Amino acid sequence: MPRAPLPRATVILLGLAAAVVVVFGLAAARSVVAPVVLALVLTICVHPIRRRLERRGVPRGLATGSAIVAVFALLTGFFAALFVALAQFTALLPQYADQIEAGVAAVADALESIGFGAAQAETIVAGLEPSRAIEIATGLLGGVTGVVFSLVFVLTLLILMAVDATYGPAILRQLEPRRPDLVEALAGFTRNVRRYMVVTTGLGVVQGLVNWLALVILQVPGALLWGLLSFICSFIPNIGYFIAIIPPIVFGFLAGGWPTAVAVIVVYGLVNAVVQSIIQPKVVGGAVRLSETITFVSVLFWALVLGPVGAILAVPLTLLARAVLIDADPGTRWWRPATGDVHETKELASEMSAEARAEGRAERAARAGRRRSR
């Protein structure tokens, strides 16, 4: 006798319970999961380099090694620049300690004037003290060993994944007869993630360089660090811009007053508007197709689960979840429009808008006819 299917409410609750267990497991193992995900994304991005070298007659091992060396050079250069920028910032910050303390005191007075208690205001502004910023920067510089260990860990994973990826196309071809939908979903995921990451990296470099040059011209202290911060935050949709703009505004104000602060706001606003609102959507095209709400929530969610790396890789992680949970199952693909893939839905939305306008004209005509009949 066949068993009766479980009630829908039970299925939903079991799915939510399983999701909670998975999320807490990922959060507990974030020190391992985050580097693995980063190495996976890097492997996906460098895979075409190896393929192109192989097509030109380069041996497979040498092609794989060349791709790995390229990524290693980029990561090493980035961490070296970050280390230099943090060292400069640590030496620079004490010069503005008095001004920052005066600003913190003004913030505390403003908080008390709008109803915050003295203890509450003191707790809020405690994190704004310059000594706290110095401690954070010094801690980052002192954690070079941890950074090097993480870099070695990521590079080791990258080497292993790059070697294993040489058999990736053959594995997918073996799997395709049995799981064609899963193969199609994974292939689409790798294409979309590669396009998104490569384009975002390129535009992030341009954005960081332009902001850095503008800050140098405006004589904002710590321009190199803020340029690097702008590059990193370019990978964080919606939120990254506001994270990247706050420090240069503060130090621009300390160095040159309101004119410099306003100039920083204008420059960052123009660069962000051109890059992230005009160029990036056209270049990336349909690679992402996530709604703005899901993109925003995904940044908060993955940052909570995996930390800063989760915020930077929020879009690739969300695309991976959609590929596995929705795209790989024909029975759940109808959920794609709800996640932001509204390419076909736009036509229906246009038809519904036309119908609504027609109904509105008909109602206005009917009301006008009734008034004339009176």
Side-chain angles (χ1 to χ4, degrees), residues 15 44 72 114 149 155 165-167 177 183 198 216 259 285 290 299 305 349 356 374:
I44 292 173
F72 176 78
I114 61 176
F149 175 78
L155 288 172
T166 58
Y167 301 100
V183 171
V198 170
V216 170
L290 293 173
V299 173
V305 175
R374 293 176 185 172

Side-chain angles (χ1 to χ4, degrees), residues 46 68 70-71 95 157 222 226 313 364:
V46 302
I68 294 172
V71 177
Q95 301 177 19
L157 285 171
W226 312 138
L313 299 178
R364 289 192 295 272

Side-chain angles (χ1 to χ4, degrees), residues 176 179-188 191 289 321-342 344-345:
E176 188 172 9
R179 295 289 187 272
D181 296 307
L182 177 61
V183 171
E184 182 183 356
L186 293 177
R191 288 194 304 270
R289 290 186 180 178
R322 186 174 68 180
V324 174
L325 299 177
I326 296 179
D327 297 346
D329 185 359
T332 58
R333 287 183 184 173
W334 57 274
W335 277 100
R336 279 190 66 92
T339 64
D341 187 4
V342 293
E344 298 179 357
T345 310

Side-chain angles (χ1 to χ4, degrees), residues 82-121:
L82 182 62
F83 181 79
V84 171
L86 285 172
Q88 293 177 350
F89 177 69
T90 304
L92 173 70
L93 193 58
Q95 301 177 19
Y96 296 91
D98 294 338
Q99 294 170 273
I100 295 176
E101 289 179 357
V104 169
V107 171
D109 294 338
L111 291 174
E112 292 183 19
S113 67
I114 61 176
F116 284 85
Q120 293 173 318

Side-chain angles (χ1 to χ4, degrees), residues 89-296:
F89 177 69
T90 304
L92 173 70
L93 193 58
Q95 301 177 19
Y96 296 91
D98 294 338
Q99 294 170 273
I100 295 176
E101 289 179 357
V104 169
V107 171
D109 294 338
L111 291 174
E112 292 183 19
S113 67
I114 61 176
F116 284 85
Q120 293 173 318
E122 183 177 353
T123 302
I124 292 174
V125 302
L128 303 177
E129 294 288 344
S131 58
R132 286 285 300 157
I134 294 177
E135 289 176 6
I136 294 173
T138 305
L140 290 173
L141 290 174
V144 173
T145 303
V147 172
V148 171
F149 175 78
S150 299
L151 183 60
V152 171
F153 185 32
V154 171
L155 288 172
T156 303
L157 285 171
L158 179 62
I159 293 171
L160 298 176
M161 288 183 179
V163 172
D164 291 337
T166 58
Y167 301 100
I171 293 173
L172 291 178
R173 183 171 295 184
Q174 281 182 308
L175 185 61
E176 188 172 9
R178 294 178 178 272
R179 295 289 187 272
D181 296 307
L182 177 61
V183 171
E184 182 183 356
L186 293 177
F189 162 73
T190 56
R191 288 194 304 270
N192 293 337
V193 166
R194 185 181 303 120
R195 186 174 183 182
Y196 170 78
M197 291 300 294
V198 170
V199 170
T200 303
T201 300
L203 294 178
V205 169
V206 174
Q207 190 171 346
L209 287 174
V210 171
N211 289 334
W212 170 64
L213 290 174
L215 294 176
V216 170
I217 293 172
L218 294 172
Q219 299 181 351
V220 175
L224 176 60
L225 180 59
W226 312 138
L228 288 173
L229 180 64
S230 176
F231 166 72
I232 296 172
C233 291
S234 65
F235 292 91
I236 307 176
N238 303 324
I239 303 175
Y241 167 74
F242 299 100
I243 298 175
I245 197 175
I246 292 175
I249 289 177
V250 172
F251 280 88
F253 175 76
L254 294 176
W258 282 113
T260 303
V262 172
V264 171
I265 294 174
V266 171
V267 170
Y268 269 64
L270 289 175
V271 173
N272 180 77
V274 172
V275 172
Q276 295 192 1
S277 300
I278 299 176
I279 299 177
Q280 189 172 15
K282 291 184 178 180
V283 177
V284 175
V288 178
R289 290 186 180 178
L290 293 173
S291 67
E292 293 297 328
T293 302
I294 289 180
T295 302
F296 179 79

